[in-house]
Amino acid sequence: MYSNQVVILNSIKYVFIVFILSLLSMEVYSNETSSLPKLTLTPSQCVSLHQDQQCFVTVDISWQVSHAGKYCLYSSLQKNELTCWIMKKSARFKQELVIEKDVTFTLKSMGDGIGNGIENGEMIASAVLELSLIHISEPTRQEAI
């Protein structure tokens, strides 16, 4: 009878350990995939003092995906890609820009031939560099005195 209780307790311990390990592995997997793909833009705003004034900024773009492949970065400022990477899962790109309106950056898959379900030309992630205006009013005559 004692040996049956030991077997039952050991079985319960085993099931409990397997259950806990499966929960932990699911948590790690969900954290890895929930944050990907991502495209990060620094800074996210370009500040101009006056309307219709150009804004000068050096933008730093980084991206990360779950599968290595060929990816190209596009900007709404031009028709052709800014740059492309082959067999990469992450990369960075830095560029000086002069903008007069919001700029959208888009990471697209250019096909990798490994059948990961991503279409050629499919948008993977995007981010917007916003043009922000700070309105500084001229002092009124009364304020100037």
Side-chain angles (χ1 to χ4, degrees):
M1 176 133 167
Y2 176 74
S3 65
N4 285 342
Q5 289 175 339
V6 170
V7 170
I8 291 172
L9 285 176
N10 284 339
S11 297
I12 291 172
K13 285 181 194 176
Y14 176 76
V15 169
F16 180 74
I17 290 171
V18 169
F19 177 72
I20 294 298
L21 289 176
S22 66
L23 285 178
L24 289 173
S25 67
M26 286 172 40
E27 178 67 25
V28 169
Y29 180 75
S30 68
N31 283 342
E32 287 177 2
T33 58
S34 66
S35 63
L36 297 178
K38 68 179 175 181
L39 183 101
T40 307
L41 187 55
T42 306
S44 59
Q45 292 184 341
C46 188
V47 179
S48 179
L49 297 177
H50 301 288
Q51 193 168 359
D52 299 326
Q53 182 181 28
Q54 295 177 326
C55 189
F56 297 86
V57 64
T58 300
V59 67
D60 187 5
I61 302 167
S62 61
W63 61 268
Q64 185 177 3
V65 296
S66 55
H67 298 297
K70 181 178 180 184
Y71 299 95
C72 293
L73 181 66
Y74 290 84
S75 159
S76 60
L77 294 176
Q78 65 187 54
K79 188 175 184 176
N80 296 329
E81 70 273 353
L82 295 170
T83 190
C84 293
W85 298 270
I86 297 173
M87 293 310 296
K88 294 286 186 178
K89 289 172 69 172
S90 65
R92 290 182 81 171
F93 179 78
K94 200 173 203 176
Q95 185 178 40
E96 292 181 14
L97 296 172
V98 179
I99 66 171
E100 296 174 352
K101 61 181 179 178
D102 293 353
V103 179
T104 301
F105 294 93
T106 306
L107 183 68
K108 292 184 179 182
S109 169
M110 303 318 289
D112 54 16
I114 61 172
N116 65 7
I118 298 174
E119 301 277 330
N120 188 19
E122 179 180 344
M123 183 181 75
I124 304 299
S126 67
V128 177
L129 173 64
E130 296 177 350
L131 176 63
S132 298
L133 297 175
I134 296 180
H135 180 69
I136 300 175
S137 61
E138 296 291 324
T140 62
R141 186 171 178 220
Q142 198 171 29
E143 290 173 342
I145 297 176

